[in-house]
Amino acid sequence: MLPWKRVLRPFATLLLAAAALTVPVTSAAHAETAAFAESAPTSGWNDFSCKPSAAHPRPVVLVHGTLANSVDNWLVLAPYLEDRGYCVFSLDYGQLPGVPFFHALGPIDKSAEQLSAYVDKVLAATGATKADLVGHSQGGMMPRYYLKFLGGAAKVNALVGIAPNSHGTTLSGLTKLLPFFPGAEDVLNAASPALAQQIAGSDFMTNLNAGGDTVPGVRYTVIATKYDEVVTPYRTQFLSGANVKNVLIQDLCPLDLSEHALIGLMDKIAFHEVANALDPARATPTTCASALS
């Protein structure tokens, strides 16, 4: 191996591991919330005594993104939905041994099994027959494995993905560097399987999307931003198939500059579209003014 390759291989691996879908960790928005995320009360969500209303008969399960967790990813959206009368729940998944707080790093198929068990728990507690799922980044993609391979389609009415990694990411071209660093992908896969699995062209992504993006009986909504620098190109987030609605947030509000992290953490324009997707019969137009709602 050339000496420069020997030196740069660990650097490239570290760069990809740090960058691949980690913006929720490094963003300014996260810096403001991370300090108290571990001790933050869920202030009404994850209340297993909550019973869905006639207006909102299905519980909402929030599925966080890579290197996030069940609290910090949802400090704005969970109360937003709770204030609108939903029973709201969120889970931690994809934990690696010895890695606290930063989750969704383990094998995605195993994470989907965790989601399956959690949805069963929520349905049993609430008495509902189906749930709605809302996920950010990996959390908008991983549930599709649950729907397709683990029987989730019988238990889920709708999946709403906020900046989901639907077809794998090139990470603004960084993943194209992997072939130049022999062994880097093996190191990445061993250290954090979910990161390697989310690269465009991975075996996992190929298997997930084989035969179509959707399964019958589930409504799908994708909410994307053209400023996404993590799941790239951003249009790969969109799904094809029956019962799919793809939304580019700038088509609703050209002034919305949210990128990958902010659209999931605190973008109320995007959250208004989430509410519309959960209750299409009562949907109202999403505009720049929705940021004030």
Side-chain angles (χ1 to χ4, degrees):
M1 181 187 299
L2 293 175
W4 67 270
K5 286 188 175 181
R6 189 161 49 242
V7 171
L8 290 179
R9 183 177 71 181
F11 172 75
T13 304
L14 178 61
L15 178 63
L16 286 163
L21 304 174
T22 65
V23 172
V25 175
T26 59
S27 68
H30 180 79
E32 295 177 0
T33 61
F36 71 95
E38 287 184 310
S39 59
T42 53
S43 110
W45 90 85
N46 283 339
D47 175 5
F48 281 86
S49 67
C50 185
K51 300 300 180 184
S53 65
H56 301 303
R58 292 176 300 275
V60 177
V61 176
L62 303 178
V63 190
H64 64 75
T66 307
L67 281 171
N69 59 67
S70 63
V71 175
D72 76 327
N73 214 142
W74 307 121
L75 291 173
V76 178
L77 181 57
Y80 181 94
L81 294 176
E82 183 192 8
D83 289 345
R84 283 156 178 77
Y86 289 93
C87 291
V88 181
F89 302 86
S90 61
L91 77 156
D92 287 305
Y93 69 90
Q95 300 93 329
L96 291 181
V99 182
F101 188 68
F102 303 113
H103 304 319
L105 295 171
I108 298 174
D109 55 326
K110 299 301 181 183
S111 293
E113 292 176 5
Q114 292 179 277
L115 174 62
S116 177
Y118 191 81
V119 170
D120 286 349
K121 179 181 177 181
V122 168
L123 294 180
T126 60
T129 57
K130 288 190 176 184
D132 290 327
L133 308 180
V134 179
H136 179 217
S137 193
Q138 182 189 157
M141 172 272 292
M142 177 271 282
R144 290 177 50 225
Y145 188 97
Y146 163 56
L147 298 177
K148 187 172 184 177
F149 298 113
L150 301 180
K155 303 174 183 179
V156 173
N157 169 70
L159 169 62
V160 184
I162 306 172
N165 187 10
S166 300
H167 298 97
T169 179
T170 68
L171 201 63
S172 298
L174 278 176
T175 59
K176 295 179 181 179
L177 295 175
L178 281 172
F180 293 96
F181 302 97
E185 190 166 359
D186 292 338
V187 173
L188 183 62
N189 187 57
S192 177
L195 296 182
Q197 288 176 316
Q198 291 184 81
I199 294 173
S202 72
D203 291 344
F204 177 85
M205 298 306 305
T206 299
N207 182 48
L208 176 64
N209 293 302
D213 295 343
T214 63
V215 296
V218 180
R219 290 189 296 104
Y220 296 81
T221 302
V222 172
I223 304 170
T225 170
K226 68 180 182 180
Y227 300 114
D228 200 311
E229 75 286 34
V230 175
V231 181
T232 58
Y234 75 85
R235 290 194 176 277
T236 62
Q237 298 174 26
F238 294 147
L239 299 174
S240 299
N243 296 320
V244 170
K245 180 181 180 181
N246 293 313
V247 178
L248 182 64
I249 205 70
Q250 283 77 29
D251 288 342
L252 306 176
C253 177
L255 300 178
D256 192 325
L257 302 179
S258 290
E259 40 65 68
H260 184 79
L262 290 180
I263 194 174
L265 291 175
M266 58 180 59
D267 188 340
K268 288 193 175 181
I269 298 171
F271 296 168
H272 189 271
E273 271 302 288
V274 170
N276 282 346
L278 294 175
D279 191 0
R282 297 180 178 86
T284 58
T286 299
T287 67
C288 293
S290 301
L292 304 176
S293 63

